[in-house]
Amino acid sequence: MKLFPFLAASALTVGSVFAQQTRPNVIFIFSDDHTHQTISAYGSKLARTPNIDRIANEGAILYNNIVTNSICGPSRATLLTGKFSHQNGYKLNEKKFDTNQPVFPEKLQENGYQTAWIGKMHLNALPNGFDYLNVLPGHGHYYGSDFVNSKSDTVRYPGYVTNVITDLSLDWLTKRDQSKPFFLVVGHKATHREWYPDVQDLGAYDNVTFPLPSTFYDTYEGREAAAKQDMTIDKTMRLKEDLKVHADYDTKGRWSTFARMSPEEKKAFKAYYEGKVSKEFDAKNLSGKALVEWKFQRYLKDYLSTANSLDRNIGKLLDYLDKSGLAKNTVVIYASDQGFYMGEHGWFDKRFIYEESLKTPFVIRYPGVVKPGTKVNQIVSNIDWAPTVLNITGSKIPAEIQGESFLPLLKGEKAPWRKEAYYHYYEFPQPHHVYPHFGVRSEQFTLVHFYGEINTWELFDLKKDPQQLHNLYGQKGYEKITAELKDKLRKLMVQYKDQEALEILGKN
């Protein structure tokens, strides 16, 4: 039976709109310094994260998702470009992202997607590829933070930043062009230093005593770079600024978080940190190991209390998707910019190629495509995030992107995949005196070279020594695997066009 011409045209229009609407939306929730050791979906006993766990349980969880450069801004630049730091030019924090280079959301726009980034971006520039931007300048603040929008206007929003970012995201979702599929990055400040919890989460873990990591008193034998860093809870973590012991609640100026709080918020903070935490600190009169272990407990209490709001707000976003009917056709991703130390090796912060800072959480829910409870154990890198989103949305993957789509892994398909991944960290000496280094991470081994003011190699067997305490480089019996990994390292440098690293490697 033939349709009349106007009916045929009408059917085509409806069909094209239907096809457009059935293309999946994507929400990429991107936190800061939130490590897998504190997520219950990854087996953590430190805290419960029911909403992040929900994404994992209803979709897939990646167990070997690693970064190319374990630091905040460069990780975001890699997300946007699908390239290593030496290719996108953003090697260090606090630099300015080159907005003249291509970013993958531009391909989404070409494919009819409406795009937005709300919250923390930390690139010191507003990149192309977004129809709407409302981002924190730099790291932003936990209370009363400023936001810079697409018009470069700066607006200060009262309240706790995690809640504000979620509210702004929900507002954008309700007001967006509903004829188009969308891509939204929800960029959270949490759980970045100095770990200011939401008022309602103050003291959330006060009744918990956390076990010391078995490596807390690591002596760093055979690991010169690890011995010479400046990121220990003992010596680097500050009582006043980080742990709020006798904090100065009357400081003024744009950088003061307390100056941005409402009177009620400041009153609650002062009552808790001055009336309880500082009072306890004074009464104990601690020193030596007792002091550093008290600092460890306070660090975890503040960090995890800050993470409470992060998970709660993820739940608020998931509830909105359910109630609005968007959940069935929206891919939800949760990831962090890199891992973080929860006292392992006596540290906080990140930067090293070692597992705690190299690996970052990544869970994804894709209804009807990724089976609930899917587990991915292959090595995935953050250069792979951009091409995977492009693949999911049916958008073109540019040839210059250095990563690959891991959608086949998510779908459980047997597809060829890499056995090793490349890493290169640059920022030295400030702020934590971690020497620049590059390396290769395979399924069983990590080989790393620290360069600059030192010239050392390290080799770890991750199966026998998952905590990476025993440097096997140069030891008898490991000559063959060392040579194989050095050869692979060189090939990866050539593949990813890291000429600077190749020149350094050629001298060793």
Side-chain angles (χ1 to χ4, degrees):
M1 180 178 176
K2 292 184 178 180
L3 295 171
F4 289 104
F6 76 92
L7 289 177
S10 185
L12 285 171
T13 301
V14 171
S16 62
V17 170
F18 178 77
Q20 187 178 59
Q21 291 176 339
T22 54
R23 281 184 292 168
N25 309 305
V26 179
I27 295 179
F28 198 119
I29 307 167
F30 201 31
S31 64
D32 196 304
D33 294 344
H34 191 220
T35 188
H36 72 277
Q37 302 100 290
T38 61
I39 296 174
S40 43
Y42 282 92
S44 173
K45 304 299 182 184
L46 297 177
R48 290 192 57 77
T49 50
N51 296 296
I52 296 173
D53 296 358
R54 179 185 168 190
I55 300 171
N57 294 334
E58 295 177 357
I61 182 169
L62 276 61
Y63 287 103
N64 282 293
N65 183 58
I66 70 173
V67 295
T68 57
N69 182 1
S70 183
I71 190 169
C72 303
S75 183
R76 287 164 174 77
T78 294
L79 164 63
L80 279 177
T81 63
K83 298 177 184 178
F84 283 86
S85 300
H86 63 271
Q87 287 287 301
N88 63 46
Y90 205 83
K91 298 178 180 179
L92 318 172
N93 269 341
E94 314 312 333
K95 300 297 180 183
K96 187 175 181 180
F97 181 75
D98 177 10
T99 57
N100 292 319
Q101 65 183 308
V103 291
F104 86 89
E106 291 175 307
K107 293 299 177 184
L108 294 174
Q109 288 178 319
E110 291 174 11
N111 195 24
Y113 274 75
Q114 190 174 16
T115 60
W117 188 313
I118 297 170
K120 184 167 184 178
M121 180 176 275
H122 196 200
L123 293 173
N124 299 309
L126 298 179
N128 298 319
F130 292 96
D131 300 301
Y132 179 79
L133 290 169
N134 203 0
V135 300
L136 303 176
H139 290 289
H141 290 83
Y142 275 109
Y143 285 86
S145 188
D146 299 325
F147 284 73
V148 178
N149 61 32
S150 302
K151 300 177 183 178
S152 296
D153 295 329
T154 300
V155 179
R156 183 169 297 184
Y157 291 87
Y160 190 64
V161 70
T162 309
N163 302 327
V164 172
I165 290 167
T166 300
D167 290 344
L168 290 172
S169 298
L170 293 175
D171 184 65
W172 182 83
L173 284 168
T174 58
K175 295 177 180 177
R176 74 189 195 282
D177 182 350
Q178 298 194 17
S179 69
K180 294 182 177 182
F182 65 83
F183 170 73
L184 168 65
V185 178
V186 181
H188 283 294
K189 173 178 173 61
T191 48
H192 196 275
R193 192 182 185 187
E194 283 94 4
W195 316 294
Y196 282 78
D198 192 351
V199 166
Q200 64 184 297
D201 296 310
L202 290 171
Y205 292 89
D206 280 2
N207 295 326
V208 179
T209 300
F210 298 102
L212 280 180
S214 60
T215 60
F216 189 74
Y217 288 112
D218 189 356
T219 59
Y220 317 118
E221 183 178 355
R223 290 162 287 142
E224 183 180 356
K228 291 182 176 180
Q229 46 59 46
D230 181 18
M231 48 189 274
T232 64
I233 293 171
D234 182 6
K235 296 178 181 179
T236 313
M237 186 169 284
R238 305 162 300 177
L239 283 166
K240 183 177 179 180
E241 293 85 357
D242 292 320
L243 303 180
K244 299 89 170 170
V245 175
H246 297 306
D248 187 351
Y249 297 94
D250 297 319
T251 53
K252 307 295 182 183
R254 58 181 298 205
W255 302 113
S256 170
T257 296
F258 293 118
R260 293 169 175 267
M261 289 180 174
S262 70
E264 295 77 17
E265 290 164 346
K266 187 186 293 188
K267 182 179 178 181
F269 261 71
K270 194 169 184 179
Y272 177 68
Y273 284 103
E274 197 65 22
K276 183 175 182 179
V277 175
S278 299
K279 189 175 180 180
E280 174 192 304
F281 176 79
D282 292 341
K284 288 181 178 292
N285 192 27
L286 302 169
S287 62
K289 286 187 175 182
L291 174 57
V292 69
E293 290 178 15
W294 185 89
K295 291 174 69 177
F296 165 76
Q297 294 294 331
R298 284 303 327 161
Y299 163 46
L300 260 64
K301 292 177 197 300
D302 277 358
Y303 180 102
L304 295 173
S305 295
T306 303
N308 272 9
S309 180
L310 174 65
D311 188 78
R312 183 167 59 245
N313 275 273
I314 290 170
K316 186 176 180 180
L317 185 57
L318 294 177
D319 289 344
Y320 169 82
L321 295 177
D322 288 340
K323 292 174 184 176
S324 65
L326 287 170
K328 60 185 178 182
N329 193 40
T330 299
V331 176
V332 180
I333 297 168
Y334 174 74
S336 185
D337 49 2
Q338 71 274 311
F340 210 72
Y341 289 95
M342 294 284 100
E344 299 91 353
H345 309 286
W347 298 338
F348 68 101
D349 209 70
K350 54 262 184 179
R351 302 169 195 274
F352 280 105
I353 195 175
Y354 307 141
E355 291 291 282
E356 294 90 349
S357 48
L358 178 70
K359 293 167 71 170
T360 196
F362 191 104
V363 295
I364 177 171
R365 185 180 75 180
Y366 189 173
V369 175
V370 177
K371 293 181 180 178
T374 295
K375 295 176 172 58
V376 177
N377 290 299
Q378 290 95 329
I379 298 172
V380 172
S381 171
N382 59 345
I383 56 169
D384 303 320
W385 296 351
T388 301
V389 172
L390 291 172
N391 195 183
I392 286 171
T393 58
S395 305
K396 183 180 179 181
I397 301 175
E400 66 266 17
I401 280 184
Q402 294 182 299
E404 302 175 57
S405 170
F406 55 90
L407 182 58
L409 303 183
L410 296 172
K411 294 164 70 174
E413 298 174 357
K414 291 185 177 180
W417 193 253
R418 70 170 68 92
K419 300 295 184 182
E420 303 90 6
Y422 180 60
Y423 182 87
H424 196 163
Y425 170 82
Y426 303 85
E427 192 167 275
F428 180 83
Q430 300 299 330
H432 289 291
H433 206 269
V434 174
Y435 289 97
H437 56 285
F438 51 70
V440 56
R441 160 60 153 80
S442 74
E443 293 173 318
Q444 183 174 348
F445 293 93
T446 296
L447 176 71
V448 54
H449 176 60
F450 293 91
Y451 65 89
E453 294 182 5
I454 63 173
N455 183 11
T456 62
W457 286 89
E458 294 176 0
L459 173 68
F460 301 99
D461 186 330
L462 300 176
K463 289 185 178 179
K464 296 179 180 178
D465 179 28
Q467 296 169 322
Q468 294 168 288
L469 297 174
H470 307 292
N471 181 9
L472 302 173
Y473 187 83
Q475 292 192 18
K476 187 176 180 180
Y478 290 92
E479 297 88 350
K480 182 178 178 182
I481 187 62
T482 299
E484 290 174 354
L485 288 171
K486 279 191 176 182
D487 182 62
K488 185 61 182 180
L489 179 61
R490 184 182 299 276
K491 288 178 179 176
L492 288 171
M493 290 174 179
V494 172
Q495 177 184 346
Y496 296 127
K497 302 176 182 178
D498 193 347
Q499 189 61 38
E500 176 188 3
L502 271 170
E503 291 174 4
I504 295 169
L505 185 64
K507 300 174 183 177
N508 292 273

